[in-house]
Coordinates of all heavy atoms in Angstrom, one line a residue:
K623 N -44.9 -95.1 14.5 CA -45.2 -94.2 13.4 C -45.9 -94.9 12.3 O -45.4 -95.9 11.8 CB -44.0 -93.5 12.9 CG -44.3 -92.1 12.3 CD -43.0 -91.3 12.1 CE -42.5 -91.5 10.7 NZ -41.1 -91.3 10.5
V624 N -47.1 -94.5 11.9 CA -47.7 -95.1 10.7 C -47.2 -94.5 9.4 O -47.3 -93.3 9.3 CB -49.3 -94.9 10.8 CG1 -50.0 -95.6 9.7 CG2 -49.8 -95.5 12.2
T625 N -46.7 -95.3 8.5 CA -46.3 -94.7 7.3 C -47.1 -95.4 6.2 O -47.6 -96.5 6.3 CB -44.8 -94.9 7.0 OG1 -44.5 -96.2 7.1 CG2 -44.0 -94.1 8.0
S626 N -47.2 -94.7 5.0 CA -48.2 -95.2 4.0 C -47.5 -96.2 3.0 O -48.2 -97.1 2.5 CB -48.9 -94.1 3.3 OG -47.9 -93.2 2.9
S627 N -46.2 -96.0 2.7 CA -45.7 -96.8 1.7 C -44.5 -97.6 2.2 O -43.8 -97.1 3.1 CB -45.3 -96.1 0.5 OG -44.3 -95.1 0.8
I628 N -44.3 -98.8 1.7 CA -43.2 -99.6 2.2 C -41.9 -99.2 1.6 O -41.7 -98.9 0.4 CB -43.4 -101.1 1.7 CG1 -44.7 -101.6 2.5 CG2 -42.3 -102.0 2.1 CD1 -45.2 -102.9 2.1
S629 N -40.9 -99.0 2.4 CA -39.5 -98.6 2.0 C -38.5 -99.3 2.9 O -38.9 -100.0 3.8 CB -39.3 -97.1 2.1 OG -39.1 -96.7 3.4
K630 N -37.3 -99.1 2.6 CA -36.3 -99.7 3.4 C -36.3 -99.2 4.9 O -35.8 -99.9 5.8 CB -34.9 -99.5 2.8 CG -34.5 -98.0 2.8 CD -33.0 -97.9 2.3 CE -32.3 -96.7 2.7 NZ -32.6 -95.4 2.1
K631 N -37.0 -98.1 5.1 CA -37.1 -97.6 6.4 C -38.3 -98.2 7.3 O -38.4 -98.0 8.4 CB -37.3 -96.1 6.4 CG -36.1 -95.4 5.8 CD -36.0 -94.0 6.2 CE -34.7 -93.4 5.7 NZ -34.8 -92.0 5.3
T632 N -39.1 -99.0 6.6 CA -40.2 -99.7 7.3 C -39.7 -100.8 8.2 O -38.8 -101.5 7.8 CB -41.2 -100.3 6.2 OG1 -41.4 -99.3 5.2 CG2 -42.4 -100.8 6.9
D633 N -40.2 -100.8 9.4 CA -39.8 -101.8 10.4 C -40.8 -103.0 10.3 O -40.3 -104.2 10.4 CB -39.8 -101.3 11.8 CG -38.7 -100.2 11.9 OD1 -37.5 -100.6 11.8 OD2 -39.0 -99.0 12.1
Y634 N -42.1 -102.7 10.3 CA -43.0 -103.8 10.2 C -44.1 -103.5 9.2 O -44.5 -102.4 9.0 CB -43.8 -103.9 11.6 CG -43.0 -104.5 12.7 CD1 -42.4 -103.8 13.7 CD2 -42.8 -105.9 12.8 CE1 -41.7 -104.3 14.8 CE2 -42.1 -106.5 13.8 CZ -41.6 -105.7 14.8 OH -40.9 -106.3 15.8
V635 N -44.7 -104.6 8.7 CA -45.9 -104.4 7.9 C -47.0 -105.3 8.7 O -46.7 -106.4 9.0 CB -45.8 -105.0 6.5 CG1 -47.1 -104.9 5.8 CG2 -44.8 -104.2 5.7
V636 N -48.1 -104.6 9.1 CA -49.2 -105.3 9.7 C -50.1 -105.7 8.5 O -50.7 -104.9 7.9 CB -49.9 -104.5 10.7 CG1 -51.0 -105.4 11.4 CG2 -49.0 -103.9 11.8
A637 N -50.1 -107.0 8.2 CA -50.8 -107.4 7.1 C -52.1 -108.1 7.4 O -52.2 -109.1 8.2 CB -49.9 -108.4 6.3
G638 N -53.2 -107.6 6.8 CA -54.5 -108.3 7.0 C -54.8 -109.2 5.8 O -53.9 -109.4 5.0
D639 N -56.0 -109.6 5.6 CA -56.4 -110.3 4.4 C -56.3 -109.3 3.2 O -56.4 -108.1 3.3 CB -57.9 -110.7 4.5 CG -58.0 -112.0 5.2 OD1 -56.9 -112.6 5.5 OD2 -59.1 -112.4 5.6
K640 N -56.1 -109.9 2.0 CA -56.2 -109.1 0.8 C -55.1 -108.0 0.7 O -55.4 -107.0 0.1 CB -57.6 -108.5 0.6 CG -58.7 -109.5 0.6 CD -59.9 -108.9 -0.2 CE -61.1 -109.8 -0.1 NZ -62.0 -109.6 1.1
M641 N -54.0 -108.2 1.3 CA -52.9 -107.2 1.1 C -52.5 -107.3 -0.3 O -52.3 -108.4 -0.8 CB -51.8 -107.6 2.1 CG -50.6 -106.7 1.9 SD -49.3 -107.1 3.2 CE -47.9 -106.3 2.5
G642 N -52.2 -106.2 -0.9 CA -51.9 -106.2 -2.4 C -50.6 -107.0 -2.6 O -49.7 -107.0 -1.9
P643 N -50.6 -107.8 -3.7 CA -49.4 -108.6 -4.0 C -48.1 -107.8 -4.2 O -47.0 -108.3 -3.8 CB -49.8 -109.4 -5.3 CG -51.0 -108.7 -5.8 CD -51.6 -108.0 -4.7
S644 N -48.2 -106.7 -4.8 CA -47.0 -105.9 -5.1 C -46.4 -105.4 -3.8 O -45.2 -105.4 -3.6 CB -47.3 -104.8 -6.0 OG -48.1 -103.8 -5.4
K645 N -47.3 -105.0 -2.8 CA -46.8 -104.6 -1.5 C -46.1 -105.7 -0.8 O -45.0 -105.6 -0.2 CB -48.0 -104.1 -0.6 CG -48.2 -102.6 -0.7 CD -49.1 -102.2 0.4 CE -49.3 -100.7 0.4 NZ -50.3 -100.2 1.3
L646 N -46.8 -106.9 -0.9 CA -46.2 -108.1 -0.2 C -44.9 -108.4 -0.8 O -43.9 -108.7 -0.1 CB -47.2 -109.2 -0.5 CG -47.0 -110.5 0.4 CD1 -47.1 -110.2 1.8 CD2 -47.9 -111.6 -0.1
E647 N -44.8 -108.3 -2.1 CA -43.5 -108.7 -2.8 C -42.4 -107.7 -2.3 O -41.3 -108.1 -2.0 CB -43.7 -108.6 -4.3 CG -42.5 -109.2 -5.0 CD -42.6 -109.0 -6.5 OE1 -43.6 -109.6 -7.1 OE2 -41.8 -108.3 -7.1
K648 N -42.8 -106.4 -2.3 CA -41.8 -105.4 -2.0 C -41.3 -105.6 -0.5 O -40.1 -105.6 -0.3 CB -42.5 -104.0 -2.1 CG -41.4 -102.9 -2.0 CD -42.0 -101.6 -2.5 CE -40.9 -100.6 -2.4 NZ -41.4 -99.2 -2.5
A649 N -42.3 -105.9 0.4 CA -41.9 -106.1 1.8 C -41.0 -107.3 1.9 O -40.0 -107.3 2.6 CB -43.1 -106.2 2.6
T650 N -41.3 -108.3 1.2 CA -40.5 -109.6 1.2 C -39.1 -109.3 0.7 O -38.1 -109.7 1.3 CB -41.2 -110.7 0.4 OG1 -42.6 -110.6 0.6 CG2 -40.7 -112.1 0.8
N651 N -39.1 -108.6 -0.5 CA -37.8 -108.4 -1.0 C -36.9 -107.5 -0.1 O -35.7 -107.7 -0.1 CB -37.9 -107.6 -2.4 CG -38.4 -108.6 -3.5 OD1 -38.4 -109.8 -3.3 ND2 -38.9 -108.0 -4.5
L652 N -37.5 -106.6 0.6 CA -36.7 -105.7 1.4 C -36.4 -106.4 2.8 O -35.7 -105.9 3.6 CB -37.4 -104.4 1.7 CG -37.5 -103.4 0.5 CD1 -38.4 -102.3 0.8 CD2 -36.1 -102.9 0.2
G653 N -37.0 -107.6 2.9 CA -36.7 -108.3 4.2 C -37.4 -107.7 5.4 O -36.9 -107.8 6.5
I654 N -38.5 -107.0 5.1 CA -39.2 -106.4 6.2 C -40.1 -107.4 7.0 O -40.7 -108.3 6.3 CB -40.1 -105.2 5.7 CG1 -39.2 -104.1 5.2 CG2 -41.0 -104.6 6.8 CD1 -39.8 -103.2 4.3
K655 N -40.2 -107.3 8.2 CA -41.0 -108.2 9.0 C -42.5 -108.0 8.8 O -43.0 -106.9 9.0 CB -40.6 -108.0 10.5 CG -41.0 -109.2 11.3 CD -40.1 -109.3 12.6 CE -40.6 -110.6 13.2 NZ -40.3 -110.7 14.6
I656 N -43.1 -109.1 8.4 CA -44.6 -109.0 8.1 C -45.3 -109.7 9.3 O -45.0 -110.9 9.6 CB -44.9 -109.6 6.8 CG1 -44.2 -108.9 5.7 CG2 -46.4 -109.6 6.5 CD1 -44.3 -109.6 4.3
I657 N -46.2 -109.0 10.0 CA -46.9 -109.7 11.0 C -48.4 -109.6 10.8 O -48.9 -108.7 10.1 CB -46.6 -109.0 12.4 CG1 -46.9 -107.5 12.4 CG2 -45.1 -109.3 12.8 CD1 -46.7 -106.9 13.8
N658 N -49.2 -110.6 11.3 CA -50.6 -110.5 11.1 C -51.3 -109.8 12.3 O -50.6 -109.4 13.2 CB -51.2 -112.0 10.9 CG -51.0 -112.8 12.1 OD1 -50.9 -112.3 13.3 ND2 -50.9 -114.1 11.9
E659 N -52.6 -109.7 12.2 CA -53.3 -109.0 13.2 C -53.1 -109.4 14.6 O -52.8 -108.7 15.5 CB -54.8 -109.0 12.9 CG -55.7 -108.1 13.7 CD -57.1 -108.1 13.2 OE1 -57.4 -108.9 12.2 OE2 -57.9 -107.4 13.8
Q660 N -53.2 -110.8 14.8 CA -53.0 -111.3 16.1 C -51.6 -111.0 16.7 O -51.4 -110.6 17.8 CB -53.2 -112.9 16.1 CG -53.3 -113.5 17.5 CD -54.4 -112.8 18.4 OE1 -55.5 -112.6 18.0 NE2 -54.0 -112.4 19.6
E661 N -50.6 -111.2 15.8 CA -49.2 -110.9 16.2 C -49.1 -109.5 16.7 O -48.4 -109.2 17.6 CB -48.2 -111.3 15.1 CG -48.1 -112.8 14.9 CD -47.3 -113.1 13.7 OE1 -47.6 -112.5 12.6 OE2 -46.5 -114.0 13.7
F662 N -49.8 -108.6 15.9 CA -49.7 -107.2 16.3 C -50.3 -107.0 17.7 O -49.8 -106.3 18.5 CB -50.5 -106.3 15.2 CG -50.6 -104.9 15.6 CD1 -49.5 -104.1 15.6 CD2 -51.8 -104.4 16.1 CE1 -49.6 -102.7 16.0 CE2 -51.9 -103.0 16.5 CZ -50.8 -102.2 16.4
I663 N -51.5 -107.6 17.9 CA -52.2 -107.4 19.2 C -51.3 -107.9 20.3 O -51.1 -107.3 21.4 CB -53.5 -108.1 19.2 CG1 -54.4 -107.4 18.2 CG2 -54.2 -108.1 20.6 CD1 -55.8 -108.1 17.9
D664 N -50.6 -109.1 20.1 CA -49.7 -109.6 21.1 C -48.6 -108.7 21.4 O -48.1 -108.5 22.5 CB -49.2 -111.0 20.6 CG -50.3 -112.0 20.5 OD1 -51.3 -111.8 21.1 OD2 -50.1 -113.1 19.9
L665 N -48.1 -108.1 20.3 CA -46.9 -107.2 20.4 C -47.2 -106.0 21.3 O -46.5 -105.7 22.2 CB -46.6 -106.7 19.0 CG -45.3 -105.9 18.8 CD1 -44.1 -106.9 19.0 CD2 -45.2 -105.3 17.4
I666 N -48.4 -105.4 21.1 CA -48.7 -104.2 21.9 C -49.2 -104.6 23.3 O -49.2 -103.8 24.2 CB -49.7 -103.3 21.3 CG1 -51.0 -104.0 20.9 CG2 -49.1 -102.6 20.1 CD1 -52.1 -103.1 20.4
K667 N -49.5 -105.9 23.5 CA -50.0 -106.3 24.9 C -48.8 -106.6 25.8 O -48.9 -106.7 27.0 CB -50.8 -107.5 24.8 CG -52.3 -107.2 24.5 CD -53.2 -108.3 25.0 CE -54.6 -108.1 24.5 NZ -55.1 -109.3 23.8
K668 N -47.6 -106.7 25.2 CA -46.4 -107.2 25.9 C -46.2 -106.3 27.2 O -46.2 -105.1 27.2 CB -45.2 -107.0 25.0 CG -44.6 -108.4 24.7 CD -43.2 -108.3 24.1 CE -43.2 -108.7 22.6 NZ -42.0 -108.2 21.9

Side-chain angles (χ1 to χ4, degrees):
K623 205 168 96 203
V624 179
T625 54
S626 50
S627 62
I628 295 175
S629 76
K630 62 176 204 281
K631 295 199 173 146
T632 310
D633 295 295
Y634 284 105
V635 176
V636 185
D639 276 350
K640 306 204 182 84
M641 173 174 167
S644 67
K645 266 196 179 170
L646 192 62
E647 191 185 298
K648 191 161 183 200
T650 318
N651 286 344
L652 289 170
I654 294 162
K655 197 151 184 203
I656 301 171
I657 57 175
N658 64 28
E659 188 174 2
Q660 189 56 48
E661 286 169 319
F662 173 74
I663 294 171
D664 294 342
L665 191 69
I666 55 172
K667 275 207 193 121
K668 247 196 249 163

